[in-house]
Amino acid sequence: MDSVSFLMRLFLYYGGRLNRTNLMKLVFVAQRAIRSHWFDFVPMRRGGYSFVLERGCEKLTEQGLLAREEKCYCLTHSGFRFAEETPPDSALSSFLHSLDRFGEMGGESYNAPFVAYVYGQSPNYAIRSEILNELSAYDANLASRVRMTRALIAKQSAAYPSLMTLGYESLSLDAYLRSLIRVSVKTLIDVRKNPVSRRFGFAKSRLSSACRDVGIQYIHLPGLGIASEKRRELRTQADYDRLFDEYEAETLSFAEEDLNVIRKLLSAGQRVALTCFEFDVQHCHRGRVARKLNQLDGVAFKHL
């Protein structure tokens, strides 16, 4: 079963209509139950949320399989035919049947008892929830467990330095954002010269919007980037090292204004992450930016 078949069977089980908040939570728990992994999640205002899943629903809407209402997605006639022709999955059906006790999932309001249940299963995804108090009526210990989780995350993230770097290569947008949240990053510095990407979520407009949604400030400093044409014909680590030596001499040495933007954030106590494409920092100039800041101010850094 692929991700589209999974979603279509999920909609079909609930009569073709799902509240968007409930949909997020259903996918979150159901894919775990059947031991499949198509979507990553990030803690948001109503618990676990997937930007990639939302985009998947948008694509299915564009294809005419779903229709979007204000708070719900619904199967269209074509969507019903597609879902009915999708082979059923016994593990998925069995798990969804176990959730029948929660009742309606397609209403205009989210299913509070069900959302409380999901929060209880994974309180680390409820740390930014704005509806936590509303759900306490269904689980008296829920708020205290979430507070303990917040405190644990804060304690664990305190062990990290104030400057980190992260490449998004091979990461989904949700897994990437979760990595930043896990270490309490407050400001993301994009050091790409041209912040475009064929990977969903990592072009400047989408990435900056997603960061805002999860409470992270996004700043683009193109002056710290490297022109894409200079990255051609890089085959060995020696090729990368030569490029980055040139970058240090010709760019970083004259980038005082951009470096000072980062230095001011760090001196104000902000936790900052530098980001670019390459997962391996040995293949990315962000490592040289971090090293330069260390040389200027003694700032410790870590590559995530």
Side-chain angles (χ1 to χ4, degrees):
M1 183 167 55
D2 59 21
S3 62
V4 173
S5 298
F6 167 74
L7 290 174
M8 292 293 99
R9 295 301 303 187
L10 202 63
F11 274 96
L12 189 62
Y13 186 87
Y14 288 103
R17 188 174 193 268
L18 281 168
N19 176 282
R20 290 172 62 213
T21 298
N22 294 338
L23 171 63
M24 287 288 167
K25 307 303 177 286
L26 283 165
V27 172
F28 180 80
V29 294
Q31 70 174 6
R32 287 185 171 189
I34 64 174
R35 299 184 180 180
S36 295
H37 186 89
W38 297 291
F39 305 101
D40 293 301
F41 286 79
V42 64
M44 287 278 281
R45 291 182 291 273
R46 291 194 174 185
Y49 176 88
S50 172
F51 288 95
V52 175
L53 172 55
E54 185 69 37
R55 178 54 184 150
C57 290
E58 290 171 0
K59 285 184 176 180
L60 292 174
T61 301
E62 293 164 6
Q63 294 166 11
L65 297 176
L66 290 179
R68 170 77 180 270
E69 295 181 0
E70 183 179 357
K71 295 182 179 181
C72 298
Y73 279 109
C74 307
L75 288 177
T76 62
H77 291 301
S78 297
F80 267 109
R81 287 197 300 271
F82 185 100
E84 289 166 349
E85 292 171 0
T86 301
D89 181 273
S90 58
L92 176 61
S93 298
S94 177
F95 177 72
L96 295 179
H97 180 67
S98 74
L99 301 180
D100 286 349
R101 67 188 187 276
F102 294 110
E104 175 65 37
M105 293 291 182
E108 289 303 312
S109 299
Y110 61 87
N111 185 316
F114 172 63
V115 175
Y117 160 78
V118 178
Y119 277 20
Q121 295 290 303
S122 299
N124 52 317
Y125 285 92
I127 57 173
R128 300 187 66 247
S129 175
E130 295 176 352
I131 59 173
L132 187 58
N133 290 338
E134 299 174 28
L135 302 179
S136 295
Y138 306 98
D139 183 343
N141 297 317
L142 182 60
S144 62
R145 291 205 302 276
V146 172
R147 284 195 295 269
M148 288 175 61
T149 301
R150 287 179 187 143
L152 179 60
I153 292 172
K155 181 179 179 180
Q156 291 173 338
S157 66
Y160 286 82
S162 57
L163 178 64
M164 281 160 282
T165 85
L166 177 63
Y168 64 82
E169 184 181 15
S170 80
L171 292 175
S172 70
L173 176 59
D174 302 289
Y176 172 86
L177 292 171
R178 192 172 66 243
S179 294
L180 299 176
I181 292 170
R182 179 176 59 86
V183 293
S184 302
V185 165
K186 298 303 180 186
T187 301
L188 182 69
I189 304 291
D190 191 337
V191 295
R192 294 175 292 176
K193 181 168 285 294
N194 298 305
V196 295
S197 178
R198 285 177 288 184
R199 288 181 61 78
F200 168 74
F202 293 102
K204 179 178 179 177
S205 59
R206 178 77 76 161
L207 181 57
S208 61
S209 175
C211 283
R212 183 172 59 250
D213 286 343
V214 298
I216 295 174
Q217 178 183 205
Y218 170 92
I219 298 175
H220 178 218
L221 295 179
L224 294 179
I226 295 180
S228 56
E229 57 267 22
K230 290 189 175 184
R231 290 185 170 274
R232 295 169 186 163
E233 308 301 323
L234 298 178
R235 295 187 175 87
T236 68
Q237 187 58 51
D239 294 333
Y240 282 98
D241 292 341
R242 279 192 292 272
L243 172 62
F244 298 151
D245 288 344
E246 176 187 305
Y247 167 74
E248 281 200 63
E250 298 181 5
T251 300
L252 274 186
S253 296
F254 302 95
E256 182 178 0
E257 183 176 347
D258 284 334
L259 289 171
N260 281 342
V261 171
I262 306 173
R263 296 172 77 190
K264 287 178 182 178
L265 289 167
L266 291 168
S267 65
Q270 285 268 5
R271 179 157 289 176
V272 174
L274 309 177
T275 197
C276 197
F277 169 72
E278 293 82 3
F279 184 79
D280 185 349
V281 73
Q282 298 299 319
H283 293 169
C284 182
H285 67 288
R286 71 182 186 275
R288 298 297 181 101
V289 178
R291 190 170 75 176
K292 182 68 172 180
L293 292 164
N294 173 264
Q295 292 169 349
L296 289 170
D297 300 320
V299 176
F301 60 89
K302 181 177 178 62
H303 305 300
L304 297 176

